[in-house]
Structures are given as C-alpha cells and as structure tokens.
Amino acid sequence: MKKLIAMVLAVLMTLSLASCSNADNPGNSKAPENNSPAGGNDLTDSTGYKQYGKIVLWTLAKDLEQFADRYEEQTGCEVEVVVFDSADFQTKIMQTLGAKSKDVDVFVGEPQMLPNFYEAGFCADLSALDNEVKTRLVDYTYEAGCDSDGVLRAISYQACPGSVIYRRDLAQEVFGTDDPDEIGKLFSSFSTIEDTAAKLKEKGYTIFGDTGALRWFSISSNPWVRDGQIIVDQDRLDYFDCAVELYQKNYVAFAKEWSAPWYASMAGPLPQLADSDDVWGMDKDELMSEGQAGGDNITQVFSYVMPSWGALIVRDNAEGNKGKFGVCSGVCSFFGGGTFLTVNEFSQNKEAAQQFIEFCTLNDDTAQWWLEVSNGDVVNNKAVLEANKDFQNESFGNQNTYGFYAKEMEKIDYSLITGYDDACKEAFGAAVMSVQKGQQTKEEALKEFYTTVITTYPELSVPADAPVTLD
C-alpha cells in the first residue's frame, strides 16, 4: 500500500501530453478487407452488434468523441463522453473509482498511469480479447495493456513510436543529404549529437529548440530501476553531459517545448533567445515576423525529438515549411503517450463497455477511418499499417512515414519501462538543469537526484557502482 500511495503521488505531479491532430488528408490510403466487428460478438441485429443501453466514457482525448459518434452511427448504441483536463484526470479517477463508483463504464489511461490503475483494481479483466490484441495490434501496446501478472486490462487504438523530426532543406545545406538513414547517423549517440550541433551552429542554426528534447533518449540500455536499485549508467551520464554542453554552448534556441517560440520555430527563422527570456509571454506571430525580417541574432531550429504525434504538431505549425521535414531514428527507439481504453471494474455494463472498446481498437474499418480522419495518427492495427505501407506523406518530403514508424515500433523494448520512470526522469532533468545553469556541480546534482528519488520511493537504494555516493 505504501508503494501504491507513493507511486500515485509521484504520478499526480506530472502532466500528460494528449495526442491530437487536424490537418492534411493522408490521401492514397487503402483499408484491409476485413471489415467485420472484432471479438466474435453474438450478433443480434442488422448492425452486427448487440444492442445495449447508454454507456459513459471518461477520457483525456477528445479524439474519442469522434469514435463515439461513429460507434453510435454504426451500432445505434449511445456513448456519453466526458472529457477531462489532463491535470485533473488522474485525481478524478483515483477518487471516483476508489469509491467503487458505477457512474463510469469505460475510462482511459496513458501508459505511465496504467500500472497505478491496475494495482488499485480499477481495470476489468479483458482476457477474452487477449489473443486478438496480441496477434493484431502492435507488440509494445499489448505489453502496456497487461498488468504485472500478464492479465490484459487496457487496449489502445493508437501507437506512439518516437523519432527525430528534422528539416530536410537545412540538412541538404549543412550535411549534403536529407536521406533519413544518413541523418539518423547524426543522432545515433550523444557524442554524435554534440558534433552535429557544432556543425549546425557554424551555419547559424540550432539543433533543438530546447535541451529537453534529449529526455526521450533517457532509456537506451537499462531501466531506471532494476532489482530495487536506481540505475545511472554510462548512457545516462552521456545524456547528462550532452544536455549541459548543448545548453552552455548555445547550441539550442532556448525555445522551450509548448511555448510560442517553439511553435514559431517550425515555420522558419526566429530570434535567438536566452534561457532567461520569458518565452511563455511571447507571441508566435510577432516572433515569426521578427525572424523573417532577418538580422544577426536569428536562428533556425533543425530538429525535434518526439513521439509520432509530435510529427503532426510540427506539420500543423510548419506553414511555409510544410513538406520540408523528414523523420529519422535517434539514440534509441522509444514511445510516449497513447490513449488506452479500459473497462471500469465496478461497471454494471461491462459487456457493452467491452463491445465499444473492441469497435475502437480491433475493427479494421475503424482503424482505417481513424488513420484518414486524424490526418496521419499512427494507428495500432498492424493490418491497417501494412495496407498503407506505400503511402507517401507530402508533409514530410513524400517519405513513407507509416513504414518508418512501423519499423521503429518493432525496436521498442518494453521491459525497460518501470513504474518509477516519471519520478526518475523528472529528478534527473532537474539535476541536469541545475548544472546547466551553474547552480550545482555534476556530483552535487547527482547526489540530489538520488536523494529525491529515494525520498519518494524509500524502498529503492543506490547501487555500489553508482557514479556518486551519498553522505
């Protein structure tokens, strides 16, 4: 129980990123031939679905409003969708389902939330769908949907593999090629990232908007926790040193993620900022105008490190740069976010709830529809991804982005994921930042990192071969 409480408190401190997009139609896409409802339902009417009364869905993702509308149109079954802000969602779930409420039938969770929901006993057993999910959907999402005993309890309609999203035109100018395989080599390790950043700086460009882009590579060879010990291996130390170097040598634009300068950087030049600048009070249009006016203090951001939904954000903010981007691999394969659906263990409408989840996640027609309606979201259905394997994405230099992300998903090692990751990443990021700003030495910052994590999780310890020892 102490562990659960500590995990919940740690998770409640983090904000989840909701994936969404609304822009270009992917165009030449082809649906697989299987269009029957999944799960072998006992068909009772012409829609091919059992008829149930209304179910209630709680979600972070507005996407599911569209799924619910389509479900009602095709089945005649009503779904009431309640959308929550990400900051409030986990608290609401813990309070409501902690009281064994029957007022919600289906609710969602992102991967970092799911272990806590499983341990609390909120997610119903979906083992009846285990074989279909394991066979037809992306492997890592199946693992994320299972509890610590391997019981399936949540299913996602999307997959969110990671990538480096880069400017093809700048790549040609600086490196003489925009080929994704060649550009991927420039991001293959933290040392090569430093070299790449230096070459870009010589041309007046910055490698990232902010050093926070590197955090996606913090799990490359080891989990954050193994056998109760906190792991800071050489890869993480290299990540630490790389982030400090990029910061202190002004290799980044200091355009923090989700700020106006960060969005503006996707469309073209912007003023080179300082870390002390209040980016949250800036205006995107003014920054773009200032960047287009030119001058000595102007830069352009070369790349962004994000899950696949980040590619949609870049695309939708690229404006005149639309079509000038590509996607490639980086230090390691990763994933981030994703909306998983689960049935409330205390619901009195479990069959109806499961039918809705099957419709959203295991129906090939639904997956093809969402691929098109979302304008490029990476669906979780392997058959649909295969059916669209020849699609060329105009927003990314006619690159086959679905094919790229399908390969990246195969490399994801879900065994590296632990319930301690969010707390470790947050504390490690704070340690990096303190050294970047000259507030602490590396040794002092690492000691504080260990202390912070152990304070949150007293059951953890520092291994004997750790880079520092606690006093």
Side-chain angles (χ1 to χ4, degrees), residues 14 84 218 223 231 266 286 288 323 368 443 451 467:
T14 65
F84 292 88
S218 66
I231 306 300
M266 300 169 191
E286 291 178 2
M288 290 174 59
Q368 180 66 35
E443 182 178 3
T451 300

Side-chain angles (χ1 to χ4, degrees), residues 36 39 41 64 99 125 132 177 244 256 291 321 355 402 443 446:
S36 61
N41 291 319
L64 286 169
D125 187 336
E132 280 198 89
T177 180
V244 171
K256 295 181 177 65
N321 280 338
Q355 178 172 279
Y402 291 130
E443 182 178 3
L446 287 172

Side-chain angles (χ1 to χ4, degrees), residues 111 129-146 152 154-162 308 333-338 340 361-362 364 367 371 377-386 402-414:
L129 304 176
D130 187 275
N131 186 60
E132 280 198 89
V133 173
K134 190 172 185 178
T135 302
R136 298 175 57 201
L137 304 188
V138 172
D139 292 346
Y140 92 81
T141 67
Y142 169 75
E143 296 181 76
C146 293
L152 181 67
I155 312 174
S156 177
Y157 58 87
Q158 61 185 171
C160 304
S308 53
S333 298
F334 65 92
F335 72 93
F340 286 71
T361 63
L362 289 168
D364 291 338
L371 183 148
D377 201 7
V378 178
V379 296
N380 197 17
N381 186 309
K382 289 188 284 191
V384 171
L385 289 175
E386 175 65 19
Y402 291 130
F404 167 80
Y405 283 121
K407 291 179 181 178
E408 285 299 299
M409 285 185 281
E410 294 175 358
K411 303 174 189 175
I412 293 171
D413 183 356
Y414 195 77

Side-chain angles (χ1 to χ4, degrees), residues 96-274:
T96 304
L97 300 192
K100 299 185 178 181
S101 173
K102 300 178 178 63
D103 293 339
V104 55
D105 301 301
V106 178
F107 66 99
V108 307
E110 293 183 348
Q112 69 273 21
M113 307 176 191
L114 294 175
N116 299 296
F117 294 163
Y118 299 156
E119 189 170 347
F122 297 160
C123 304
D125 187 336
L126 298 177
S127 295
L129 304 176
D130 187 275
N131 186 60
E132 280 198 89
V133 173
K134 190 172 185 178
T135 302
R136 298 175 57 201
L137 304 188
V138 172
D139 292 346
Y140 92 81
T141 67
Y142 169 75
E143 296 181 76
C146 293
D147 66 16
S148 59
D149 294 321
V151 177
L152 181 67
R153 297 191 183 276
I155 312 174
S156 177
Y157 58 87
Q158 61 185 171
C160 304
S163 63
V164 177
I165 304 155
Y166 65 94
R167 285 275 298 276
R168 288 180 176 272
D169 54 336
L170 301 187
Q172 282 283 5
E173 177 186 343
V174 179
F175 304 109
T177 180
D178 66 353
D179 180 78
D181 291 336
E182 293 302 313
I183 301 304
K185 295 175 183 177
L186 304 177
F187 292 90
S188 61
S189 70
F190 293 111
S191 61
T192 57
I193 286 175
E194 292 171 12
D195 293 340
T196 300
K199 292 175 182 177
L200 287 163
K201 186 67 173 180
E202 290 176 1
K203 296 291 187 178
Y205 305 131
T206 47
I207 189 167
F208 302 128
D210 180 66
T211 59
L214 291 175
R215 76 187 186 282
W216 294 105
F217 299 138
S218 66
I219 295 183
S220 55
S221 56
N222 284 294
W224 276 106
V225 174
R226 179 189 288 124
D227 299 328
Q229 295 187 324
I230 306 165
I231 306 300
V232 177
D233 59 9
Q234 188 58 50
D235 283 343
R236 292 200 173 101
L237 294 175
D238 290 345
Y239 153 47
F240 194 118
D241 294 339
C242 181
V244 171
E245 176 159 338
L246 297 187
Y247 179 99
Q248 294 185 346
K249 292 186 177 180
N250 293 325
Y251 286 164
V252 295
F254 298 106
K256 295 181 177 65
E257 286 186 1
W258 317 114
S259 69
W262 184 70
Y263 287 112
S265 72
M266 300 169 191
L270 78 160
Q272 171 66 62
L273 305 172

